[in-house]
Every structure is written in structure tokens, then in C-alpha cells.
Amino acid sequence: MGAVSVFSLTRTIAGLTLGALVLAGCGSSLGESGGSQSGDPSGGDVKIGLLVPLSGVYAPLGEDMRAGFELYLDQHDGKLGGRGVDLVTADEGEGPQTGVPAAQKLVTQDQVTAVVGVVNSATALGVRDFFHESKKPLLIANAGADDITGARKSEYVWRTSFSNGDVSAALGPAVAEEAKGSVYLIAADYAAGKEMVAGFRKGFEAAGGKVAGEKFTPFGKTQDFQPYLSAIRESGADSVYAFYAGAEAVNFVKQYEQFGLADKTSLYGAGFLTEGGVLAAQGKAAVGVKTSLHYSTELDTARNKEFVAAYQKSAGKPPTVYAVQAYDAAAVLDKALSKADGDSGEDLVKALGGVGSIDSPRGPWKFDADHDAQQTYYLREVRSGAGTAVNAVVGELG
Ligand code: BEZ
């Protein structure tokens, strides 16, 4: 039995996925907090909120994050900081309209000690003031909105993932060196897409690259990319840089190949373009796509191999960057809760400042002064392995 047998889970009924129903069938109760009574005598159980999409285009990312967080708990007797965990899950949905009320419910109604999760940059920007003002710690385990660890940095908001500008800027110089002509930029039309493109453009143009054109496609609504693919062809670009994740990434990469662009126009992107279940669905259409990311299942380290095997066993599929970011958020909380003087937001953020280096499957990383993850970015290329496509690690990016 997985992690559900050793700690209690609360699940929102709205947006329940098949995976959640299967887990619920394994022992957790729907719509009510189980409330494990086996807490450490020093502090009792700790209630943690998990805010991830269980519905919408990013639902698979949310499922991976939950599986990563649960794996960490499973490997640590269901405890963080030596205390039993009552994990309350809420559906972020497709953005702030659903994500903000879900975050508020976790804090005001469920009274969690800290919240982990948030996939979408727009949600992260939408909940930032709420966490700041209520002095409740938020550990963002995906959303890359630049301002969260920049202009709108908060004592109460920390990030175990990446910033949009960094992950994309890292790829710019490599593409400038490799591309023979200009590059067309295309992304989902919302905060993350805009920042990914801006970050890539900055790194790419600083290294002498030329941009052929730029287009933002309606987020969560675009299924047919043909008009955009025609515009790319007409631009005469040598290569393309794209930011899509989840279902949009599957459609974009498959249609890119079906449209006949893959052979002539090299495709680059932030690693979300070919990550996890997305890559499995793209199959051979993704072979040759090059991306930047701070994780790959193919990282050749003992720590990663051990993690990949454990995740595969518990989740029944290979891990993803989303799973790693949430797994690491659990590791961060484990350290912080064991050091904190109490459960208040002030106590916990003081302890977060002292967690030091995290021994992650992605490689060791630590928080920088702005609470962002300071880490290595890898250049990855999709290659077909034994019947499946993988993101081979072909280098490290500066
Ligand atoms: C974001 O909105 O920040 C985001 C979503 C999916 C993958 C990467 C970034």
C-alpha cells in the first residue's frame, strides 16, 4: 500500500481524478479530514495543505506533484519534522479564479500550518498577497512567476522549483550558437508564457541570436495549432522556441511534426514541453526536441536512480520535474519543522531560512537570498530509448 496507509488525506470532491478515487479506495475518506492521531508528543500532528490542479490542462502536473509529496512521506514513516502529517488537498484548477479561493479555504477553514503546491504562475501571483498578509508559509513547488522571488518577494513565500526567466534564459546562448538562422518564439498567452519568452529572448539576443517573430496562443483553449504553424513556416525561421506544458505541449509537438516542420525547423523549449506523461503521449514526434530544465529521469547519479526506482514502484510511471519539486518541498518542510520553535508562520519561515542544501534527485540545491531554488540547468534532447522516448542529458547550461 502507498503513502495513504500511513498518513491521513483529505480530498476535495470537486475535480477528483481517477487516481484520487483509486487512492480513496485504498483507505482515505472523501471530503473529510482523517486526522491521524499518531503525532509526535513534542508537537502533535501537523496539517499541511497541498494546492495543485486536479482539473484542467495542468491536472496531470498536479497528480505528479501529489505523488512526489506522498512518496517523500511514505519514505519517512508519514512524518515531517518527526510529526505525523494530515495532508489536505485542494484543487487549484486552471488559474486564480479557482486557485485563490482554494488557497483561502486551506488557510482559513482547514487551518493548515503551511501550503505546498501551485502550478500556474497566474495563481501564484493571485495568492501571493493573501499568504503575505496572513503570515502563512507558502512553498511554491512549480509556478515560475518571476516577481514571486523578485519585485513581490515575501518573507512567507518560498520556491522549490524555478523562475520562468531563469529556466528559459539558460537555453538562449546554446540556441544562439547552434541555430543557423533566426528563431521564432511561441508560447501560451499568460504570465508564464510571457516570462518564458522574455527570458529566452534575453539570453538568446545577448548571445547574438536573431528573432524571426513572436506569437502567444490563447491559454487552455488552443487545440488546433495549424494557423500558428503556418505563420512559423512563412516567417522563414531556422528554429523555434516554445513554452507549453501539459495537454497543450502534447498537441503542439504532435502537430509540429504532422505539419512537416520537425525535419526542417529545429524545435527548442523550456523542458515542460517534453516532460513526463507529455513525452509518452508525443512519442516519436518529440525525438530531437532540445530543452532546458533542472531535472531529467536520465540524470546519471546514485541519488536520482534510487529516486526513479522508488517513484516508479509507488506511482507506476517514471517521475517528472513536478514530482521532484514537490518531493523536495516535503524535504524542505521536514528540515524546517524539525528546527522550528513553534507552528506559527514566523517560526516556520525563520526555520526555512536555515534548511541549507537539499539532497535532491535533481542534484543538490539551496534557497538563494530571494527564496528561489539555486540549481543547475541541464540541456536535454529527446532520444528514443528501448521503445520509449527519454530526455537524455546532453550538457549543463550556465
Ligand atoms: C507556470 O505557470 O508557471 C508553469 C506551468 C507549467 C509548467 C511550467 C510553468
Side-chain angles (χ1 to χ4, degrees):
M1 178 75 58
V4 286
S5 63
V6 291
F7 61 95
S8 59
L9 293 173
T10 296
R11 306 203 181 278
T12 49
I13 294 177
L16 267 176
T17 59
L18 182 61
L21 287 166
V22 169
L23 286 168
C26 292
S28 70
S29 55
L30 282 174
E32 58 187 51
S33 172
S36 161
Q37 301 305 309
S38 60
D40 184 273
S42 62
D45 287 1
V46 61
K47 218 175 199 187
I48 302 294
L50 187 64
L51 178 62
V52 291
L54 302 172
S55 57
V57 280
Y58 287 162
L61 286 57
E63 284 183 24
D64 290 355
M65 287 164 78
R66 181 159 62 186
F69 199 90
E70 288 178 352
L71 174 60
Y72 187 92
L73 288 174
D74 216 9
Q75 290 177 333
H76 295 82
D77 295 329
K79 292 184 176 176
L80 294 177
R83 298 163 62 182
V85 174
D86 184 357
L87 189 65
V88 187
T89 305
D91 185 7
E92 179 188 341
E94 231 167 51
Q97 305 88 325
T98 40
V100 173
Q104 288 166 339
K105 177 197 163 281
L106 286 172
V107 171
T108 55
Q109 192 177 316
D110 300 315
Q111 308 223 316
V112 298
T113 294
V115 172
V116 174
V118 188
V119 161
N120 184 311
S121 280
T123 308
L125 293 167
V127 298
R128 183 267 177 208
D129 287 354
F130 171 69
F131 283 93
H132 182 74
E133 279 152 25
S134 48
K135 297 186 188 293
K136 197 55 82 176
L138 168 66
L139 275 96
I140 294 182
N142 186 66
D146 290 340
D147 277 359
I148 288 293
T149 50
R152 294 180 66 200
K153 167 186 165 183
S154 161
E155 221 183 312
Y156 292 91
V157 182
W158 299 67
R159 183 154 57 197
T160 64
S161 48
F162 60 91
S163 70
N164 294 328
D166 286 354
V167 67
S168 291
L171 185 63
V175 179
E177 197 177 310
E178 208 167 83
K180 291 178 196 70
S182 57
V183 175
Y184 195 98
L185 317 178
I186 185 162
D189 190 6
Y190 79 104
K194 299 269 175 177
E195 290 181 352
M196 294 278 181
V197 161
F200 174 81
R201 188 189 262 273
K202 194 166 150 212
F204 177 65
E205 289 184 334
K210 295 271 173 297
V211 171
E214 183 180 281
K215 190 75 195 169
F216 294 97
T217 58
F219 171 61
K221 297 187 186 76
T222 309
Q223 282 171 0
D224 180 6
F225 286 93
Q226 301 266 339
Y228 308 108
L229 298 171
S230 294
I232 289 172
R233 180 175 280 158
E234 279 158 28
S235 77
D238 168 76
S239 310
V240 168
Y241 166 85
F243 165 73
Y244 292 106
E248 290 192 314
V250 176
N251 286 334
F252 180 78
V253 170
K254 282 179 102 166
Q255 290 174 30
Y256 194 87
E257 196 243 2
Q258 283 156 6
F259 198 74
L261 276 171
D263 289 341
K264 302 176 197 91
T265 315
S266 308
L267 180 56
Y268 298 90
F272 318 101
L273 190 63
T274 60
E275 187 63 5
V278 159
L279 181 57
Q282 291 162 343
K284 68 172 183 40
V287 171
V289 177
K290 287 189 184 163
T291 63
S292 56
L293 205 65
H294 42 289
Y295 181 68
S296 164
T297 51
E298 305 311 295
L299 279 173
D300 191 12
T301 62
R303 178 74 183 95
N304 186 45
K305 285 183 172 156
E306 164 202 43
F307 172 76
V308 170
Y311 188 92
Q312 178 75 47
K313 191 164 170 224
S314 70
K317 59 184 177 180
T320 59
V321 73
Y322 312 109
V324 171
Q325 292 164 169
Y327 181 88
D328 286 0
V332 164
L333 273 177
D334 194 8
K335 282 187 161 193
L337 283 164
S338 68
K339 283 174 199 283
D341 293 334
D343 271 0
S344 74
E346 284 97 330
D347 288 331
L348 200 51
V349 295
K350 193 165 158 230
L352 282 168
V355 295
S357 180
I358 303 300
D359 176 28
S360 167
R362 72 181 96 168
W365 66 270
K366 59 183 182 190
F367 287 118
D368 67 14
D370 296 329
H371 306 169
D372 215 352
Q374 201 170 47
Q375 60 198 336
T376 301
Y377 287 100
Y378 305 100
L379 179 62
R380 319 178 319 165
E381 179 176 354
V382 177
R383 293 188 180 152
S384 52
T388 48
V390 295
N391 285 295
V393 177
V394 295
E396 286 188 10
L397 298 164

